[in-house]
Short mmCIF file of all heavy atoms in Angstrom, two decimals:
data_model
loop_
_atom_site.label_atom_id
_atom_site.label_comp_id
_atom_site.label_asym_id
_atom_site.label_seq_id
_atom_site.Cartn_x
_atom_site.Cartn_y
_atom_site.Cartn_z
N ALA A 5 -0.39 -27.85 1.16
CA ALA A 5 -1.23 -26.70 0.98
C ALA A 5 -0.55 -25.67 0.02
O ALA A 5 -1.22 -24.82 -0.43
CB ALA A 5 -1.66 -26.04 2.28
N PHE A 43 -5.71 -10.12 -1.03
CA PHE A 43 -6.46 -11.30 -0.47
C PHE A 43 -7.47 -11.69 -1.55
O PHE A 43 -8.12 -10.93 -2.26
CB PHE A 43 -7.06 -10.79 0.83
CG PHE A 43 -8.07 -11.65 1.40
CD1 PHE A 43 -7.74 -13.03 1.65
CD2 PHE A 43 -9.33 -11.24 1.64
CE1 PHE A 43 -8.73 -13.96 2.20
CE2 PHE A 43 -10.27 -12.17 2.21
CZ PHE A 43 -9.93 -13.47 2.44
N CYS A 44 -7.57 -13.08 -1.59
CA CYS A 44 -8.52 -13.65 -2.53
C CYS A 44 -9.94 -13.05 -2.45
O CYS A 44 -10.55 -12.85 -3.52
CB CYS A 44 -8.52 -15.13 -2.26
SG CYS A 44 -9.73 -16.08 -3.36
N GLY A 45 -10.45 -12.81 -1.26
CA GLY A 45 -11.72 -12.36 -1.12
C GLY A 45 -11.94 -10.96 -1.71
O GLY A 45 -13.07 -10.37 -1.90
N ARG A 53 -17.74 -21.40 -4.50
CA ARG A 53 -16.34 -21.66 -4.17
C ARG A 53 -15.65 -22.68 -5.12
O ARG A 53 -14.42 -22.38 -5.43
CB ARG A 53 -16.31 -22.29 -2.70
CG ARG A 53 -14.77 -22.53 -2.29
CD ARG A 53 -14.73 -22.93 -0.81
NE ARG A 53 -13.47 -23.12 -0.42
CZ ARG A 53 -12.96 -23.29 0.71
NH1 ARG A 53 -13.89 -23.15 1.67
NH2 ARG A 53 -11.71 -23.38 0.97
N ARG A 72 -0.15 -17.37 -2.72
CA ARG A 72 0.55 -17.62 -1.41
C ARG A 72 -0.36 -17.67 -0.36
O ARG A 72 -1.01 -16.67 0.11
CB ARG A 72 1.49 -16.46 -1.32
CG ARG A 72 2.39 -16.55 0.01
CD ARG A 72 3.29 -15.32 0.16
NE ARG A 72 2.61 -14.01 0.19
CZ ARG A 72 2.01 -13.37 1.10
NH1 ARG A 72 2.01 -13.93 2.30
NH2 ARG A 72 1.31 -12.21 0.97
N PRO A 73 -0.44 -18.85 0.31
CA PRO A 73 -1.32 -19.02 1.46
C PRO A 73 -0.65 -18.43 2.78
O PRO A 73 0.52 -18.38 2.87
CB PRO A 73 -1.46 -20.54 1.78
CG PRO A 73 -0.26 -21.06 0.91
CD PRO A 73 0.20 -20.12 -0.17
N SER A 74 -1.35 -17.77 3.43
CA SER A 74 -0.93 -17.22 4.70
C SER A 74 -2.02 -17.38 5.83
O SER A 74 -2.96 -16.61 5.72
CB SER A 74 -0.70 -15.58 4.54
OG SER A 74 -0.22 -14.95 5.73
N GLY A 75 -1.90 -18.31 6.59
CA GLY A 75 -2.86 -18.69 7.63
C GLY A 75 -4.16 -19.04 6.84
O GLY A 75 -4.03 -19.99 5.98
N ARG A 76 -5.16 -18.60 7.15
CA ARG A 76 -6.57 -18.88 6.49
C ARG A 76 -6.72 -18.14 5.36
O ARG A 76 -7.75 -18.35 4.71
CB ARG A 76 -7.55 -18.81 7.52
CG ARG A 76 -7.46 -19.82 8.70
CD ARG A 76 -8.64 -19.62 9.60
NE ARG A 76 -9.93 -19.68 9.06
CZ ARG A 76 -10.77 -20.67 9.22
NH1 ARG A 76 -10.44 -21.62 9.94
NH2 ARG A 76 -11.89 -20.70 8.54
N LYS A 77 -5.84 -17.25 4.96
CA LYS A 77 -6.07 -16.43 3.83
C LYS A 77 -5.20 -16.94 2.60
O LYS A 77 -4.04 -17.45 2.73
CB LYS A 77 -5.80 -14.90 4.06
CG LYS A 77 -6.80 -14.42 4.95
CD LYS A 77 -6.60 -12.80 5.07
CE LYS A 77 -7.69 -12.19 5.90
NZ LYS A 77 -7.50 -10.79 5.99
N LEU A 78 -5.65 -16.53 1.47
CA LEU A 78 -4.77 -16.99 0.21
C LEU A 78 -4.62 -15.46 -0.58
O LEU A 78 -5.56 -14.90 -0.89
CB LEU A 78 -5.78 -17.72 -0.67
CG LEU A 78 -4.95 -18.20 -2.02
CD1 LEU A 78 -3.73 -19.04 -1.79
CD2 LEU A 78 -5.94 -19.05 -2.89
N TYR A 79 -3.33 -15.17 -0.81
CA TYR A 79 -2.98 -13.94 -1.49
C TYR A 79 -2.74 -14.19 -2.84
O TYR A 79 -1.98 -15.38 -3.25
CB TYR A 79 -1.87 -13.27 -0.70
CG TYR A 79 -2.28 -12.75 0.60
CD1 TYR A 79 -2.23 -13.45 1.76
CD2 TYR A 79 -2.74 -11.37 0.60
CE1 TYR A 79 -2.74 -12.83 2.97
CE2 TYR A 79 -3.18 -10.87 1.88
CZ TYR A 79 -3.16 -11.65 2.96
OH TYR A 79 -3.51 -11.07 4.19
#
Side-chain angles (χ1 to χ4, degrees):
F43 166 57
C44 178
R53 186 173 179 163
R72 180 181 51 86
S74 179
R76 296 178 55 109
K77 291 187 174 186
L78 180 64
Y79 288 89

